[in-house]
Amino acid sequence: MGIFDKAKPILDKLIKNGYEAYFVGGCVRDKLLNRTIGDIDIATSALPEEVMSIFPKTVPTGLQHGTVLVIQNSEPYEITTFRTESTYHDYRRPSEVTFVKSIEEDLKRRDFTMNAIAMTTKNEIIDPFNGTIDLFDGLIRCVGEAKERFQEDALRMLRGIRFVSQLDFRLHDETFNAIKSNKHLIENIAIERISVEIEKMLIGNSPKKGIELLIQTNLVNHLPSLKKYTKQFNELLELPLQSLKTIEEIWALILYKCNFDSPEQVLRKWKMSNNHMKQILKVYNLLNETKIKWSNTKLYQVGLPDAIKYERLQCVIDKIDANELNEDFLKALYNQLPIYSTSDICITGNDLLEWSQLKGGPWLKEVLSEIEFQLVENQLENNKLAVKEWFINWLQK
């Protein structure tokens, strides 16, 4: 059963109760583009309390904005009442929401024509702003006046550029010019929201298009820590970025090219999680080492995933086709390692204390590290008898 078929009973129930209901936004866009569909969004003429009275399992996620979550067969569906939005506060959120009875009025408030398309349960398309034409022309165009849309929510400027990268589309001239003249408004947006759009753009199908637009509109100079780094971003356009496969690699490359005084501080300004930051900095720090020659010990320390990321990045920096990356060699070298972490070592510090009858101290950590090295380099067999024999010899030195 398709994703729309699963959701259809919800729309049918709303319609049966005398309300209008449609599939809207990204799910309709992605269906028309034959892309994988993420979430299903439903718009209805029913008010939030009416939606909650019809369905037994609901969560009032955003009643002030007309949004209710309906749980159907253990699946959550976001249902939003047709609405218009009046003046906007701080270029990010509407100061007032008014519920309306027309799907056309509801579509008028949306960001881009390709996202302002609705579909009935019979697959009939409602498209008052010719979004399907723009969709098949590969064009990102604002609904109505572009300047107004961006002054309502400045994040839409980055969303437009993100869609260019994800879909390999282009910006309509009016949309491009409106971003250029309103670029400073992005500074009113929470960095967490900016970060989501930037990362989606960087791992899109055409990241170079996105980066180029950040430069051409001068948006890049209004993003955290990136002011005055236009030259370095231009240099990214000369590299085969499509070879990179993870957001950690792309961020590591940006840090490397920009050569910030404090890369960690830059990532903190982007409000990244500690884990995300740690992954990026690990790859970035590898890039700053002398060109790595992989030994058992080095690969054991770095780990296979980060070793592959590092090699991919080296290919990109050197402008070499990543197909030349000898990933099989790294995998073969890694797979023959005798241990992969300290938990694989056959003995513990307690064994060493028992065999030596010595008190614990700095020597214990030192000996455990040496045993780990000997094992990794295949100079010692990973069994208790062999390690004990090695240790007894060590004690006698």
Side-chain angles (χ1 to χ4, degrees), residues 342-372 375 384 387-388 390-391 394-395:
T342 52
S343 61
D344 294 331
I345 299 175
C346 63
I347 58 101
T348 66
N350 287 333
D351 291 315
L352 300 183
L353 292 172
E354 185 185 327
W355 295 336
S356 67
Q357 297 298 306
L358 296 173
K359 288 184 178 179
W363 70 269
L364 189 59
K365 186 178 179 183
E366 186 184 316
V367 173
L368 282 169
S369 293
E370 182 61 25
I371 290 169
E372 185 180 14
L375 290 172
K384 227 167 187 178
V387 175
K388 184 176 182 179
W390 179 91
F391 180 57
W394 180 87
L395 284 172

Side-chain angles (χ1 to χ4, degrees), residues 2 8 101 125 253 275 315 336 362 371:
K8 190 172 173 287
K101 291 296 178 183
I125 295 296
L253 181 63
N275 186 48
C315 286
Q336 61 83 42
I371 290 169

